[in-house]
């Protein structure tokens, strides 16, 4: 179903994010017929260029990142007809009137801030000052949303001076992933799981987001941030919220976001004995973290693992283990709900310990696995074995699954539709920083040095011990 006619302005329209994600995403939505005839996309940035030069840049980006349809010359040309450019300096006065002249009455107006957060205030002020934005316009802002509670609050206040909360779309692209939304479908669309989804039946939950890439190329940004700010405060926190929240009354923006906020507010402070930081070490084949950043003595973590607790009726006593890092063995994101042992084994001690595990894979090969205990085939008596009920969404749903839009495409279309369900509310972001800040401050006051770990491993040994001490084990990163 096509969305309403819109004018989308991408500030930072010549930048990396616009070229790799936003524009190719829009192109794919165009190919699927979701973009109406009257849709217009305007790139706005500091570089001097005209519409044709920008179309050439966009065309090149789409041929590189837009998928198979980008080879279809006619389709790409038709898309590019909807694209234009205006040279605008966020901090200056030039270009704004010309940009305004491109806005058409009766179209949804959306302004994507794909620029450094330090420019958000200047952009918001000028959008209002030059009369580009009205009370129904939307602004989309990218991560990082602050680097601590104080800066996030300041950003929220700046945006709030010019826009209502209902107009602000804070992107966490994890929320746009198909499987992340499936998490809610699985939990709240089935009777099977929800009765067991609590401390009585769940032993613990593991959330892993492992990457194989290093930080070279973006070391300048990353070294100021680290895994805690770059991944845990936002992406892992969002996954934790979706897995732990109470069922919202309706699948509506504030109903969902209220429940997520309650989870963050119920998180206990994390004892520093329950956190392990790591930094990938150099080896014979490649440089380590410190060679990828400016400071050769950097203490920024490229890996973090922790145990946290949610103090509420549902989860009291159930640990949540989170882990994320760069330069690990495999690129994989997974949430695993590990259920408790059966209360009594009728098969005796020899049958061993068997547990149901529901694993939700976000990538690669999105899908779900439920480990179920059955009898080992053969005449050898009653021996038990765990086998996976394995469902790959691509296989289960057939060719349609291949058409699944990527996170950015879905989220941008939600902006045009005016649906904020998959965007973070200001109070959510602040609550997440309020929980994260003391952890980072603790590292700084103690002069904590991250543990080195081997490239392509599962992280530092101490992270394995974190689980081991509790008589538990991380799932393999593969
Ligand atoms: P980039 O440096 O590649 O591009 C920055 C863009 O901003 C360019 O188009 C530049 O012309 C424009 N710009 C800079 N100063 C300007 C000014 N004064 N007025 C108008 N335009 C100006 O950056 P990027 O990687 O595209 O990132 C953009 C934002 O998105 C950043 O906030 C970044 O943290 C965030 N982000 C990026 C990625 C990514 O994969 N690149 C991922 C998540 C979030």
């Amino acid at each position: 179903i096509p969305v309403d006619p819109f004018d989308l302005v991408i500030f930072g329209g010549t930048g990396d994010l616009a070229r790799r994600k936003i524009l190719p995403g829009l192109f794919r939505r165009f190919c699927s017929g979701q973009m109406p005839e009257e849709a217009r996309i305007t790139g706005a940035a500091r570089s001097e260029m005209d519409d044709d030069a920008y179309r050439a840049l966009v065309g090149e980006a789409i041929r590189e990142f837009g998928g198979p349809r980008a080879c279809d010359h006619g389709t790409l040309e038709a898309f590019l007809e909807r694209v234009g450019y205006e040279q605008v300096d966020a901090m200056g006065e030039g270009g704004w009137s010309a940009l305004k002249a491109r806005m058409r009455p009766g179209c949804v107006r959306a302004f994507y801030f794909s620029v450094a957060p330090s420019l958000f205030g200047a952009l918001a002020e000028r959008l209002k000052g030059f009369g580009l934005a009205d009370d129904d316009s939307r602004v989309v802002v990218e991560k990082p949303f602050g680097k601590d509670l104080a800066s996030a609050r300041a950003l929220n206040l700046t945006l709030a001076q010019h826009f209502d909360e209902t107009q602000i779309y804070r992107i966490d692209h994890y929320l746009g992933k198909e499987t992340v939304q499936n998490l809610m479908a699985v939990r709240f669309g089935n009777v099977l799981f929800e009765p067991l989804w609590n401390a009585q039946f769940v032993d613990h939950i593991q959330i892993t987001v492992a990457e194989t890439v290093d930080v070279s190329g973006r070391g300048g940004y990353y070294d100021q941030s680290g895994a805690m700010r770059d991944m845990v405060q936002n992406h892992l926190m969002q996954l934790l919220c979706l897995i732990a929240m109470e069922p919202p009354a309706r699948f509506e923006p504030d109903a969902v976001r209220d429940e997520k906020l309650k989870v963050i507010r119920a998180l206990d402070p994390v004892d520093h004995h329950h956190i392990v930081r790591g930094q990938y070490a150099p080896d014979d084949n490649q440089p380590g973290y410190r060679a990828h950043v400016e400071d050769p003595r950097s203490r920024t973590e490229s890996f973090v693992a922790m145990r946290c607790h949610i103090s509420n009726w549902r989860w009291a006593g159930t640990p949540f283990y989170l882990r994320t890092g760069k330069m690990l063995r495999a690129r994989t994101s997974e949430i695993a709900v590990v259920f408790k042992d059966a209360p009594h084994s009728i098969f005796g001690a020899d049958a061993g310990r068997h547990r149901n595990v529901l694993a939700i894979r976000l990538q690669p090969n999105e899908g779900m696995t439920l480990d179920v205990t059955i009898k080992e085939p053969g005449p050898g008596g009653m021996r038990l074995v765990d086998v996976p009920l394995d469902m790959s969404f691509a296989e289960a749903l057939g060719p349609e699954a291949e058409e699944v839009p990527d996170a950015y495409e879905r989220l941008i279309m939600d902006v045009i539709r005016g649906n904020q369900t998959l965007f973070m509310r200001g109070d959510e972001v602040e609550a997440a920083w309020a929980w994260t800040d003391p952890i980072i401050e603790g590292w700084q006051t103690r002069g904590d040095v991250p543990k080195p770990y081997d490239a392509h491993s599962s992280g530092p040994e101490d992270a394995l011990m974190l689980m081991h001490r509790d008589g538990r084990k991380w799932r393999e990163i593969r």
Side-chain angles (χ1 to χ4, degrees), residues 214-216 219-220 222-223 277-283 286-302 327 447-453:
D214 56 33
V215 303
S216 56
Y222 193 90
D223 205 40
R277 300 165 81 214
Q279 203 180 61
Y280 57 88
D283 62 24
Q286 56 229 330
Y289 177 86
R290 290 176 177 184
H292 287 146
V293 299
E294 246 170 53
D295 178 2
R297 293 188 304 166
S298 168
R299 290 179 171 182
T300 303
E301 77 285 355
S302 61
M327 204 60 166
D448 189 87
V449 181
K451 304 275 185 292
Y453 62 93

Side-chain angles (χ1 to χ4, degrees), residues 303-451:
F303 174 98
V304 62
M306 66 172 77
R307 181 178 111 180
C308 35
H309 285 273
I310 298 169
S311 277
N312 64 16
W313 193 285
R314 185 188 285 261
W315 293 117
T318 306
F320 286 71
Y321 296 91
L322 314 184
R323 159 177 74 157
T324 181
K326 305 270 178 211
M327 204 60 166
L328 296 176
R329 177 173 296 147
R331 176 170 178 259
T332 173
S333 301
E334 183 194 78
I335 302 170
V337 181
V338 181
F339 291 93
K340 289 189 172 168
D341 294 347
H344 165 68
S345 169
I346 64 168
F347 305 110
D350 289 351
R353 188 192 217 192
H354 296 272
R355 282 185 161 174
N356 299 122
V357 178
L358 177 70
I360 300 153
R361 285 188 307 276
L362 310 184
Q363 65 188 26
N365 186 17
E366 303 188 339
M368 268 175 26
T369 308
L370 178 63
D371 287 351
V372 179
T373 305
I374 60 165
K375 178 186 170 299
E376 197 175 78
M382 195 51 138
R383 301 168 79 93
L384 302 185
V385 59
D386 293 333
V387 293
L389 283 177
D390 200 349
M391 180 173 71
S392 139
F393 292 148
E395 275 172 32
L397 301 176
E400 277 171 37
E402 283 168 24
E403 298 290 315
V404 167
D406 101 342
Y408 274 93
E409 322 176 21
R410 173 189 310 274
L411 293 174
I412 297 170
M413 289 299 116
D414 277 0
V415 172
I416 306 299
R417 285 196 203 95
N419 185 346
Q420 289 184 303
T421 310
L422 300 177
F423 296 83
M424 295 179 296
R425 210 167 51 193
D427 51 3
E428 256 184 272
V429 178
E430 289 186 16
W433 280 121
W435 177 78
T436 314
D437 275 2
I439 298 174
I440 297 175
E441 283 160 16
W443 291 335
Q444 283 159 355
T445 41
R446 283 194 310 279
D448 189 87
V449 181
K451 304 275 185 292

